[in-house]
Amino acid sequence: MTRTSDGISSLLAAEKKAVEKIEDAKKNKVRRLKAAKEQADREIEGLQREQEAEFRKVQSAHSGSKDAMVQRVDGETEARLKSMESDVATHREQIIARILSMVYEITPKMHENARFEQQEQPPPPKHVQYGHQEEEPEDQEEDQEEEE
Amino acid sequence: MGSKVEAVDVNKQIKHMMAFIEQEANEKVEEIDAKAEEEFNIEKGRLVHQQRIKIQEYYDKRLKQVNLQKKIQNSNLQNQARLKVLKAREDHVYGVVEEARRRLGQITSDPQRYGPVLQALIVQGLFQLLEPVVTVRCRQADLSLVQSILDSAVRQYKEATKGMNVQIKIDDTFLPANVCGGVEMHTKGNRIKIVNTLESRLDLLAGQMLPEIRTSLFGRNMNRKFDD
């Protein structure tokens, strides 16, 4: 009888060992899944750093070019202003003279719709300055026909 | 008898069964391991891919912003520069007008030229008023010159109106000394007033002449489409 029980205990032992092996494998599986996340995280971090570095490069390149642009635009503006000054200096006197001549040149014109009929000719009235006494008596003012 | 042979048999059988159990276990373990690896790869790949897309989007967006900023800055710079140039232009134009204003009084020292100017100013006023009695106000310094041209002025008026008469009175209040020249005229007891000083003429003219001033100073503007 001991031989049979030997046999059975060997079998039981083998069964136990098998079950343990399988349990281990399952635990391993769980560990592997966890490791997947950790490794993924590390890889992602690396990617992020790469992109950030790329981005910073572009940014600093950009700020460098901005200064260059400011200088360029300023230079162009200065040039334009200078050329304007010289243009003005050349023509200034001429245009001032022209303005003044237009101020002094006056051509009185009657309104284009005004209509007049030939008047009789009463004597022209005297010119009077207020506060000054004229010797002659004032002429009577005649009513005048006016047509407009 | 059978027991020796049976014993060996049984041993063999047991050994077989043990081997079988072990083999089954190994196969199961292999399966589980293989599955584990597969899931490991899938999960890792999925997570990385997911985040990679997010990172890419994020930096794309930031890059776009940076470029947009650049464009905006550039545009602002250009704008400011243009405004600066335009302002300088306008300053030059008004500088010219101001200089003309400063020199306005020059003519008053030359009675030969100034006389006709005064006469024309008065006649212009008469034409506008068309009144029988008109008061003329001038500078004290111009009083005698004005008196000397009044007759010709009235004659001019009469001719243009086919014979209408006008009585011109000279106001004993004078124009203040800071006026450069010219006259003011009024009638109907100050109810109608005409300002015909040199300054007022300049103001009117300068406004109308701005396009001409600009063209003289800077040349014709090739970008301008309408000139009237």
Side-chain angles (χ1 to χ4, degrees):
Chain A
M1 288 301 117
T2 4
R3 269 172 261 172
T4 5
S5 54
D6 271 349
I8 292 181
S9 58
S10 306
L11 283 177
L12 286 174
E15 183 84 24
K16 185 158 177 247
K17 194 164 143 203
V19 166
E20 277 176 10
K21 254 197 200 170
I22 293 179
E23 285 305 311
D24 275 344
K26 286 190 189 163
K27 284 194 201 139
N28 198 39
K29 184 165 164 201
V30 170
R31 255 180 283 139
R32 277 311 265 170
L33 227 52
K34 209 162 153 207
K37 181 159 192 315
E38 285 164 15
Q39 275 195 20
D41 281 344
R42 259 178 291 148
E43 217 173 283
I44 290 166
E45 236 176 89
L47 278 177
Q48 158 97 350
R49 257 174 302 186
E50 238 177 66
Q51 290 279 38
E52 181 74 18
E54 272 294 313
F55 179 72
R56 293 238 181 272
K57 254 200 290 182
V58 171
Q59 224 183 14
S60 62
H62 158 58
S63 64
S65 80
K66 175 191 173 195
D67 293 328
M69 198 181 352
V70 168
Q71 273 192 340
R72 183 172 57 90
V73 170
D74 278 348
E76 280 176 7
T77 316
E78 276 311 305
R80 237 173 271 161
L81 287 176
K82 271 220 168 63
S83 100
M84 197 192 303
E85 298 244 352
S86 84
D87 277 346
V88 169
T90 327
H91 299 115
R92 203 162 185 264
E93 282 307 316
Q94 199 181 357
I95 191 66
I96 293 178
R98 170 137 170 85
I99 295 175
L100 286 174
S101 81
M102 293 212 72
V103 170
Y104 301 144
E105 246 172 63
I106 308 157
T107 333
K109 270 200 276 245
M110 189 61 72
H111 195 282
E112 56 188 2
N113 291 340
R115 302 273 176 271
F116 302 102
E117 276 197 3
Q118 190 62 43
Q119 305 281 323
E120 312 165 357
Q121 300 304 317
K126 290 277 187 191
H127 306 308
V128 169
Q129 182 169 5
Y130 289 131
H132 288 218
Q133 295 309 314
E134 293 292 326
E135 285 159 19
E136 288 115 280
E138 280 190 10
D139 286 345
Q140 53 280 60
E141 297 177 1
E142 305 185 11
D143 281 7
Q144 296 172 6
E145 298 175 38
E146 281 182 17
E147 276 197 31
E148 293 198 358
Chain B
M1 248 296 319
S3 42
K4 234 199 197 158
V5 174
E6 287 170 7
V8 167
D9 260 347
V10 164
N11 255 354
K12 253 193 177 164
Q13 265 192 351
I14 289 187
K15 285 238 156 47
H16 274 178
M17 286 167 79
M18 279 174 68
F20 178 72
I21 292 176
E22 194 177 333
Q23 193 187 359
E24 269 213 342
N26 286 344
E27 278 175 15
K28 195 87 201 266
V29 162
E30 247 178 69
E31 259 179 47
I32 296 179
D33 281 347
K35 199 101 191 287
E37 274 313 292
E38 196 184 319
E39 282 182 19
F40 169 85
N41 285 329
I42 291 180
E43 182 68 3
K44 180 168 156 198
R46 182 183 72 87
L47 287 172
V48 167
H49 179 69
Q50 205 178 49
Q51 284 304 96
R52 189 201 299 270
I53 291 184
K54 275 205 196 141
I55 292 177
Q56 195 69 3
E57 277 178 4
Y58 174 72
Y59 282 103
D60 278 348
K61 200 164 155 201
R62 286 187 74 180
L63 208 66
K64 247 192 216 166
Q65 275 182 342
V66 162
N67 282 339
L68 189 62
Q69 285 286 52
K70 197 170 172 181
K71 276 196 196 142
I72 292 179
Q73 273 177 351
N74 197 9
S75 166
N76 279 346
L77 273 181
Q78 297 274 25
N79 253 4
Q80 279 179 348
R82 279 186 207 125
L83 283 177
K84 205 168 167 189
V85 169
L86 280 177
K87 178 157 195 312
R89 263 171 78 106
E90 284 311 288
D91 285 346
H92 282 303
V93 167
Y94 285 108
V96 160
V97 172
E98 283 311 299
E99 182 60 24
R101 207 185 298 271
R102 257 172 272 149
R103 299 191 199 170
L104 257 188
Q106 280 174 358
I107 194 180
T108 60
S109 48
D110 181 359
Q112 271 213 310
R113 290 177 63 208
Y114 188 32
V117 166
L118 278 176
Q119 181 177 332
L121 288 175
I122 292 177
V123 171
Q124 200 177 44
L126 291 177
F127 282 3
Q128 280 225 301
L129 291 169
L130 291 173
E131 289 280 323
V133 179
V134 170
T135 313
V136 167
R137 187 181 295 181
C138 62
R139 303 185 309 161
Q140 182 152 31
D142 297 338
L143 179 55
S144 49
L145 194 52
V146 165
Q147 279 169 330
S148 73
I149 51 98
L150 273 186
D151 284 331
S152 330
V154 171
R155 236 173 298 141
Q156 224 181 317
Y157 176 75
K158 226 173 170 171
E159 208 184 300
T161 59
K162 300 208 186 134
M164 280 170 64
N165 266 320
V166 60
Q167 184 187 29
I168 301 190
K169 309 188 183 192
I170 302 186
D171 203 344
D172 61 349
T173 318
F174 295 112
L175 292 176
N178 61 9
V179 171
C180 279
V183 293
E184 282 182 12
M185 297 163 67
H186 45 87
T187 174
K188 288 199 187 331
N190 258 341
R191 265 175 251 158
I192 309 181
K193 183 170 170 180
I194 292 187
V195 176
N196 222 356
T197 60
L198 293 181
E199 286 89 339
S200 65
R201 256 190 91 77
L202 176 66
D203 286 336
L204 281 173
L205 277 169
Q208 288 183 330
M209 283 178 80
L210 283 178
E212 187 182 337
I213 299 178
R214 285 193 199 110
T215 325
S216 308
L217 286 177
F218 309 118
R220 199 170 166 271
N221 182 357
M222 299 318 294
N223 294 334
R224 190 165 165 167
K225 277 190 210 152
F226 305 107
D227 283 316
D228 51 359

